[in-house]
Amino acid sequence: MARVMVAMSGGVDSSVAALLLLQQGHEVAGVTLKLHDGREAGEKSTRTCCSLDDIDDAKRVAGTLGIAHYVFNYEDAFVEQVIDPFVRTYCLGQTPNPCILCNRFIKFDKLLVQARALGFDYVATGHYAGIRQDEDGRRILTKPKDLAKDQTYFLYAMTQEQLGGTLFPLHALIKGEARRLAAAHGLITARKRDSQDICFIPDGDHGRFIDAMTDGAGGDFVDAEGNRLGTHRGIWHYTIGQRRGLGLGGLTEPLYVVDIRHEENQVVLGPPSALFSEALQADHLNWIRPLTQGQSMRVNAKIRAAHTPAPARVTLLPDETAEVVFDEAVRAVSPGQAVVFYDGDDVAGGGTITDRTKIQHGRTQAL
C-alpha cells in the first residue's frame, strides 16, 4: 500500500476521497492549502473553497477519519501563479480560468513536489476524473463515471509525471453515492454545498475585484464599424457572448459582446450571428496523447467548462500553436479560455485560446 496525501478542500468530495483511500488500505494524511483568507471581496460565501472555515471543516473530517491533517500556506504562490495572471488576462480583454491555473501550478505542481519531499507516493484529490494507462504505457486522463460532474476540462494541463503521481478516488462514483458515503461515516461535509464561485472572489463579482486592483478606466462600446454606442465600465467586466449587464438603453435589437479590443479600450457589440466562429487558434499546449508538427487529429473540442464538445480537426502548426477547425461553427469562442481535445472519453490535450477565426478560400483568417 502507498502513502497518500489527500488535498482536502473542506468539501464532501475530497472528504470521501480520503475515506475511500483509507478503506483501500493506504496510509493517508490530509492537507488543506491556505491560498487566501476567503474574505477579500468583503463578504462570506458558502460556495467557494479554501477559506478559513473550509480549513476547519477539513480538520474535523480528518479527526473523524483518524488521520493527520496539515495546512500548507501557499498564499504567495497563489497570488503569483493564479490571481495576478487572472487580473492581467482580463485586462487584456480575455477570459481566464483560474481553476486551471491553480491545478497546473499549485495542486499538481507545488503540492506534489512538497508531498514527495515529505515521503508520500501520491497526491489525491476529490476531482471527478480518471487516469489509465494505454498500450504504450502512457498515462491518459479520462472522463469519470459521473459525466455530469466531469472535471477533466480543468485538468488537461497535467503532465505525465503529474498523472503518475496523482490518484482520483472518485472516478467510479456518482455524486449522490459520495454524499451517502460521507453521511454513513458521520462526515460533517456530507450535506455541504458544492463550491461554484471563484474561490478568491466570494461574492462572485470579478469586475469589482479587478476594479480594486487596477488603474484602468472605462471606454467606448462600439459596433463592428467603430461607431460609438455608449460607455463601458472597463473591459475586464465583459466576455464574449455577454448580453446582460451592458447598461445600454434604447436598443432596437439585442446586442452581445462580440469582440474586445484592449489596445483601443473598446468593447464591440453586435448581433448574435456575429458570435459564431468556424475555427480558433490556441497556444500553451499540453499533449497527453502526443501530436507531431503538421499532424492532424479528429477530436471533440470543448471551448469552455459548460460547452458540449464539438467535432473538429486539430492541427499542430510549426510554431507549436494549434489550429482547430470545427465541423460546424461554434458560439462565443473566448480568447483566454481553454480549449480541450477529447478522443472519446480520453483527454488528448488542450491549450489556451488566442484567436477565433473564419474559413475563407480554404484558409483560416482572424475575425
Side-chain angles (χ1 to χ4, degrees):
M1 293 294 102
R3 297 190 71 211
V4 185
M5 176 167 279
V6 182
M8 300 180 68
S9 65
V12 64
D13 295 326
S14 56
S15 300
V16 172
L19 169 65
L20 291 174
L21 291 167
L22 276 175
Q23 292 178 337
Q24 294 166 13
H26 297 294
E27 180 184 341
V28 178
V31 62
T32 306
L33 307 182
K34 188 175 187 299
L35 306 176
H36 54 87
D37 66 13
R39 296 177 175 83
E40 287 89 340
E43 295 183 32
K44 182 178 178 180
S45 172
T46 60
R47 298 174 70 82
T48 62
C49 68
C50 309
S51 69
L52 295 178
D53 291 339
D54 293 321
I55 293 174
D56 290 339
D57 288 345
K59 186 177 297 185
R60 292 174 66 185
V61 168
T64 300
L65 296 176
I67 63 174
H69 178 261
Y70 305 95
V71 177
F72 294 167
N73 189 333
Y74 287 174
E75 289 187 68
D76 290 345
F78 191 74
V79 169
E80 179 182 351
Q81 302 283 10
V82 180
I83 295 180
D84 286 350
F86 173 85
V87 172
R88 283 198 302 270
T89 301
Y90 259 120
C91 289
L92 289 173
Q94 301 181 353
T95 305
N97 191 310
C99 295
I100 292 174
L101 295 175
C102 184
N103 288 331
R104 175 185 288 178
F105 298 114
I106 305 298
K107 292 191 179 90
F108 301 107
D109 186 358
K110 188 174 179 65
L111 176 59
L112 182 57
V113 169
Q114 187 164 357
R116 284 179 165 165
L118 293 172
F120 289 88
D121 302 301
Y122 296 97
V123 161
T125 72
H127 286 99
Y128 285 86
I131 301 171
R132 67 174 185 85
Q133 281 191 299
D134 67 11
E135 58 275 10
D136 296 322
R138 288 189 65 84
R139 297 175 180 91
I140 304 296
L141 179 67
T142 190
K143 293 180 180 180
K145 178 180 179 180
D146 191 344
L147 295 180
K149 289 294 181 181
D150 176 20
Q151 293 174 298
T152 53
Y153 176 83
F154 303 99
L155 301 167
Y156 80 88
M158 294 183 71
T159 64
Q160 285 295 299
E161 181 179 0
Q162 291 167 347
L163 289 168
T166 301
L167 300 176
F168 293 131
L170 303 189
H171 67 94
L173 278 190
I174 300 296
K175 178 71 177 204
E177 295 172 338
R179 289 200 179 277
R180 286 191 290 274
L181 273 173
H185 288 81
L187 306 185
I188 62 167
T189 54
R191 298 182 182 277
K192 189 171 181 178
R193 296 177 68 182
D194 292 341
S195 60
Q196 294 185 6
D197 295 329
I198 298 172
C199 68
F200 53 93
I201 307 179
D203 67 354
D205 189 346
H206 78 269
R208 188 174 73 174
F209 179 84
I210 297 173
D211 283 341
M213 299 185 67
T214 182
D215 295 327
D220 292 336
F221 284 120
V222 298
D223 62 18
E225 288 72 39
N227 300 307
R228 187 177 183 278
L229 302 175
T231 302
H232 68 70
R233 296 178 291 159
I235 60 175
W236 52 89
H237 285 271
Y238 309 96
T239 190
I240 303 298
Q242 181 176 338
R243 177 185 173 189
R244 296 183 178 180
L246 301 181
L248 294 177
L251 299 176
T252 58
E253 62 178 352
L255 292 180
Y256 296 79
V257 176
V258 299
D259 194 13
I260 299 175
R261 301 169 178 167
H262 81 275
E263 292 184 354
E264 294 87 357
N265 195 22
Q266 293 178 338
V267 176
V268 183
L269 304 182
S273 59
L275 290 171
F276 286 86
S277 307
E278 299 166 298
L280 63 81
Q281 305 287 127
D283 64 7
H284 294 100
L285 303 168
N286 181 62
W287 297 106
I288 295 176
R289 180 166 293 165
L291 197 65
T292 59
Q293 286 187 5
Q295 185 180 8
S296 296
M297 180 191 302
R298 288 292 302 175
V299 297
N300 288 314
K302 187 170 186 171
I303 60 170
R304 54 184 168 272
H307 176 239
T308 299
R313 179 173 294 278
V314 57
T315 302
L316 181 61
L317 302 178
D319 62 357
E320 294 296 327
T321 64
E323 177 184 82
V324 183
V325 179
F326 295 95
D327 291 4
E328 297 182 6
V330 293
R331 185 182 185 277
V333 173
S334 300
Q337 285 281 291
V339 55
V340 178
F341 312 126
Y342 290 88
D343 179 6
D345 288 338
D346 296 338
V347 176
T352 303
I353 299 169
T354 57
D355 295 289
R356 59 195 186 99
T357 54
K358 63 181 179 179
I359 308 296
Q360 188 165 334
H361 305 302
R363 296 184 178 182
T364 57
Q365 296 185 354
L367 289 174

